[in-house]
Amino acid sequence: MNLTFPGGVHVPYYKSGSKDKAIRKTRLPQRVVIPLSQHTGAPCEPLVEKGQVVKVGQKIGDSSAFVSAPIHASISGKVASIEPLQHPALGKKVMSVVIESDGGDEVAETIAPKPDPFAMDPEEVKSVIREAGIVGLGGAAFPTSVKISPPKDKKIDSYILNGAECEPYLTSDHRLMVERPREAIFGLKVLMYATGVKRGYVCIEDNKPEAIDAMKKAIGSDSNIKLVVLESKYPQGSEKHLIKAVLGREVPSGGLPFDVGAMVSNVGTAIAVADAFITGMPLVQRVITVTGSAIANPANLEVRIGTLFSDIIEEVGGFSSPPGKVIMGGPMMGIAQWSLDVPVIKGTSGILVMAQNEIDMVGPFPCVRCARCVDVCPMNLLPLFLGAYAERGLYADAEAYRALDCIECGSCAYVCPARRPLVQAIRTAKSEIMAKRRAKAQSAVAAKA
Ligand code: SF4
Ligand code: SF4
């Protein structure tokens, strides 16, 4: 029996529309919109001005904050504007660099293959990863150079490469593992070297046999890296649940993977790390899945960061039926969009468009106390109470019921027969709790000053 974790849900996967579609490059966009905040942490400051000519791979934004990642031009051309524009993840306008293409796709002179990473000092390797603007490509977009720099007292012994891709519909990681397995393993080895970790695990759900074969071949006879086949269950790709399934370790409440000696990176992230050394190109493009019942020709596309959703929909032949809902990411954790005039960012794993006749707007109804949400919660929380407290503004009670441990996987909302908007309510509670903690910390600092 394949490894897994307690709780979770068996969702229908709907991956057949795109799982066998080879990754193809999109046409060069005429215009890209590159937000200066595409990662967890401090936003970047622009390093370019309106009217300036830029080339592919040129750094156009950076920050001196530790938790941040620089931003690079994804096409060559002229900076048309630097202005606040709609962001697909933050749901508000964010300062963005708009570049009009010159059609030449000229690469910046500074871009060149890097020396052998295994002959470098691990700190230098981290610096290459930082300068390449690499963030976690599984969706969270946490800066990779920060992730691989844990506190000195944390001893890391295991590096997990996350190829679970448990979100229904999404197939971009699957295609990457089938088509670029050697780069994925090379990237994993670089990450292991940078962190001084000797043991690597490549984790894939059992519904991806082609990816399992390809990655097994790429690992070859390397006895430091083990392939682990996992049960296909949502949210198997969550860091904490991968660690539980593979290492049998439980990340404590409020803790991080390094608290139990583990580190986790997505396969796309590892390939971005490989690219940063092999070609020297920073993170200026990524692979996304474009799919759903309203998409004419589902596909896995390699797109430049900043390409507008509208251009991508055109690239796959437009809509096959009237769209009812556009989601960035998968149906469980993705973010609904109200406009196609938003760009692909580093954290965009896919664009899912559901047809109008698939969208059912009934509910919510009163909770029937069936406890289904409790049975499936992979974090052992009580979603019905968390949701009720959040809806009533009782954030201290939500905090006491461990709202901050919620990973926002959506399993509770998925099984709820009353269609309660549990995740949205818990998300609100989490942001209120965090805002209160920040305010408390600030007033403590002010009191000391
Ligand atoms: S409460 Fe949070 S962690 Fe638990 S099922 Fe719901 S969304 Fe997932
Ligand atoms: S699944 Fe829905 S109806 Fe059932 S207990 Fe949870 S919130 Fe209530």
Side-chain angles (χ1 to χ4, degrees):
M1 191 151 142
N2 293 326
L3 295 174
T4 192
F5 61 95
V9 283
H10 289 97
V11 289
Y13 278 94
Y14 301 110
K15 290 182 190 265
S16 56
S18 59
K19 83 175 177 51
D20 297 322
K21 304 273 181 76
I23 297 166
R24 70 177 165 85
K25 284 181 187 290
T26 54
R27 281 166 297 181
L28 201 60
Q30 280 301 304
R31 186 170 73 104
V32 290
V33 174
I34 306 182
L36 287 164
S37 181
Q38 299 186 39
H39 45 262
T40 304
C44 292
E45 293 297 325
L47 300 175
V48 289
E49 289 174 355
K50 183 178 173 183
Q52 191 173 331
V53 171
V54 292
K55 293 185 179 174
V56 183
Q58 180 178 335
K59 202 198 275 188
I60 58 170
D62 206 347
S63 163
S64 57
F66 176 59
V67 184
S68 190
I71 309 264
H72 303 80
S74 57
I75 58 172
S76 62
K78 202 176 260 187
V79 175
S81 63
I82 301 171
E83 58 181 317
L85 290 167
Q86 192 62 29
H87 192 285
L90 300 176
K92 61 180 182 181
K93 290 188 175 180
V94 165
M95 199 55 81
S96 307
V97 178
V98 181
I99 305 171
E100 297 285 355
S101 172
D102 58 11
D105 208 21
E106 267 191 71
V107 173
E109 295 77 17
T110 49
I111 305 300
K114 298 284 182 291
D116 176 7
F118 307 108
M120 283 182 172
D121 182 272
E123 289 308 312
E124 275 181 80
V125 173
K126 289 179 192 172
S127 159
V128 171
I129 291 171
R130 189 207 177 267
E131 284 305 299
I134 297 171
V135 301
L137 297 188
F142 192 80
T144 304
S145 64
V146 180
K147 176 180 262 192
I148 60 176
S149 306
K152 291 269 181 279
D153 61 324
K154 302 288 176 187
K155 181 89 193 88
I156 313 299
D157 59 25
S158 304
Y159 211 115
I160 295 176
L161 189 65
N162 184 357
E165 199 169 50
C166 58
E167 266 274 9
Y169 290 91
L170 301 184
T171 56
S172 51
D173 286 353
H174 173 212
R175 291 311 311 176
L176 280 170
M177 289 188 282
V178 170
E179 297 179 41
R180 299 186 65 189
R182 280 198 295 270
E183 288 100 317
I185 297 300
F186 177 76
L188 170 62
K189 287 179 180 173
V190 173
L191 290 164
M192 288 167 65
Y193 175 74
T195 46
V197 174
K198 298 281 178 275
R199 196 102 188 96
Y201 296 88
V202 175
C203 303
I204 310 174
E205 283 189 337
D206 56 11
N207 61 356
K208 302 176 188 67
E210 278 178 286
I212 292 169
D213 280 354
M215 294 296 274
K216 197 184 277 175
K217 280 190 194 123
I219 295 168
S221 58
D222 190 332
S223 58
N224 293 325
I225 300 179
K226 187 178 171 195
L227 184 89
V228 181
V229 179
L230 303 159
E231 185 185 327
S232 299
K233 185 169 73 168
Y234 184 83
Q236 187 65 80
S238 132
E239 286 192 340
K240 291 177 181 174
H241 299 92
L242 267 182
I243 293 169
K244 175 75 183 160
V246 179
L247 305 173
R249 301 176 194 167
E250 217 152 290
V251 179
S253 173
L256 288 167
F258 61 55
D259 290 314
V260 292
M263 226 159 244
V264 184
S265 286
N266 170 269
V267 284
T269 312
I271 292 173
V273 168
D275 286 343
F277 285 91
I278 297 168
T279 67
M281 185 56 81
L283 186 55
V284 297
Q285 58 189 18
R286 67 158 296 152
V287 176
I288 66 167
T289 302
V290 188
T291 190
S293 51
I295 291 291
N297 301 300
N300 296 294
L301 303 175
E302 188 169 75
V303 298
R304 301 294 172 98
I305 301 294
T307 307
L308 294 176
F309 280 26
S310 50
D311 288 344
I312 290 167
I313 299 295
E314 204 182 304
E315 179 84 31
V316 295
F319 296 126
S320 52
S321 57
K325 197 169 197 179
V326 178
I327 297 170
M328 182 176 83
M332 301 297 282
M333 290 189 76
I335 300 167
Q337 306 293 315
W338 52 268
S339 162
L340 294 178
D341 207 15
V342 286
V344 166
I345 55 172
K346 293 176 182 179
T348 306
S349 49
I351 300 174
L352 172 62
V353 188
M354 319 289 274
Q356 248 169 32
N357 60 11
E358 249 190 317
I359 306 301
D360 181 354
M361 300 297 280
V362 296
F365 304 105
C367 171
V368 294
R369 303 270 165 150
C370 64
R372 283 192 205 173
C373 55
V374 180
D375 291 341
V376 298
C377 178
M379 295 303 294
N380 294 321
L381 304 176
L382 299 171
L384 75 164
F385 291 125
L386 288 173
Y389 289 141
E391 280 170 7
R392 288 163 181 75
L394 300 171
Y395 302 125
D397 292 303
E399 188 174 5
Y401 274 66
R402 296 171 43 220
L404 291 182
D405 280 344
C406 170
I407 57 168
E408 300 176 21
C409 68
S411 300
C412 51
Y414 175 75
V415 297
C416 177
R419 300 178 179 228
R420 310 282 317 149
L422 296 167
V423 194
Q424 292 92 322
I426 298 170
R427 230 176 242 156
T428 306
K430 284 172 73 178
S431 68
E432 292 290 336
I433 295 164
M434 288 310 292
K436 203 169 162 196
R437 285 190 182 184
R438 276 194 299 273
K440 201 171 162 189
Q442 275 163 8
S443 52
V445 171
K448 271 188 202 159

